[in-house]
Amino acid sequence: MKKVEKTELAIIGAGPGGYVAALRGAQLRKKVILMEEDRVGGTCTNYGCIPTKYLLHETQILKEVRHNPRFRGKEGLNLDWPQVQQMRQSIIDRLVKGIEFLLEKNGVKLIKGKARLINERCAAVATAEEEITIEAERLILATGSRAADLPFLKADGTRVITSREALELEEPPGSMIIIGAGAIGLELGSIFTRLGTRVTILEILARPLPGVDRQLAERLARLLKRQGIEIQTQMKVERAEIFENKVKLSGTCLKTGQPFEVEGEKVLLAAGRRPNSEIVKQLDSALCGPGGFVKVNEYLETDWPQVYAVGDLIGGKLLAHKAMHEGILAVENAFGARHSLEPQMIPVAVFTDPELASVGWTEEEAMERGLKIKIGLFPLHASGRAVAMEKSEGLVKILADDNNRLVGAHLLSPAASEMIGEMALALRLGLRIEEIGRTIHVHPTLSEALAEASLKTLNQALHLIND
């Protein structure tokens, strides 16, 4: 006899969107079942955000010491790569156990196994021991995404790899071609360049980081090229040849119309991600839209009643913190609320050196919407803290409308990912830029640049010449 369990809320996928939704459901005192075929924490914790940030941290220390002319005895300085990889896995395991502990203490039932949908609110989970049927009053789909292949180039885990394999390499390769100059491509390119790999990034669009403020993205690209990363834009890859010890890519440069060829020991696919929507398509493919992403309305409801979807599965900005927030909203909406998420309120960060972080409209987006904007620019060479850190190449850019309300903030700076939260809060609260400018920031800190750039929109900056 098959085992059947009934629950108020079932969630498929225990990545950031799914496990946070489960915790919120438990806070609302609902009976919650969470299904996951791999490890809790999803791609972000196990194969993405967390291990990437650890390797960025380790390699940044190496880079700083190597390039500081005042350090002595640096000859032969390098990372013990096996120990680095061991620590990477230790950090992941610690965080996974932490999530499992939270789920258990909050009364969430975690079932490990591959789930399939039987109908709109009924799933079957194949565990190692048995198949369990879950009958749910409400269902949240949070199955995430995976790295996208190219039609003529698919990951084989050896010569052609995804970010997952890149983070687990036994040793850094001598050369690597990265297809895609988005956040993943630039972050992994930074890691391997610091380790001595010759990195070439090929981007089909005219600039890296499409969707990010153009001025800051182009400035970051120049800084990364100075660090040794070769970034080639408007490069359409059309063919691939895989050999025993290398891969050769060829195609057309869209800027010149000329053919190109480039070779590397490894090719890293970082040109987008595909949703894990097969679980839905098997039952009703009409639930999915372009690219296979599940269609939802502003309240994260699918076309099926009492079925919600969150995170990478529904597209938009493929970010863990977006998925987490959507997980919370989906649960609350499932039990009576009517919350929605405004996309421009979602902050973005790229963990390069310097970091790039952004929230709200870019200058280009504001102009497309016909907004009359004021722009305040504050270069970090006017920041005492940045100069003291020898990190003064960055720029802070603040956008305000004609009522002096903040509409966008774009930071190219060390610790930009930590500072963008202040601007996200200011944007959410609809603050005027003088309120940001007159908020006391600790001196000397990088965050003072937020106040200075805000004041610059009013021509009241203190550490710059105003117009």
Side-chain angles (χ1 to χ4, degrees), residues 389-407:
M389 295 170 65
E390 299 183 84
K391 295 282 186 179
S392 59
E393 308 98 336
L395 180 70
V396 172
K397 183 175 185 177
I398 300 295
L399 278 61
D401 64 17
D402 52 3
N403 292 314
N404 290 343
R405 300 268 178 204
L406 178 71
V407 296

Side-chain angles (χ1 to χ4, degrees), residues 32-71:
V32 182
I33 292 178
L34 177 63
M35 296 162 265
E36 173 56 53
E37 65 175 309
D38 194 2
R39 305 183 83 197
V40 300
T43 296
C44 177
T45 302
N46 293 281
Y47 320 113
C49 322
I50 297 299
T52 300
K53 302 312 166 282
Y54 168 68
L55 294 181
L56 282 164
H57 170 71
E58 292 286 286
T59 57
Q60 180 68 13
I61 295 172
L62 178 66
K63 172 176 170 284
E64 296 281 358
V65 175
R66 277 180 170 173
H67 289 85
N68 190 318
R70 293 169 295 281
F71 273 89

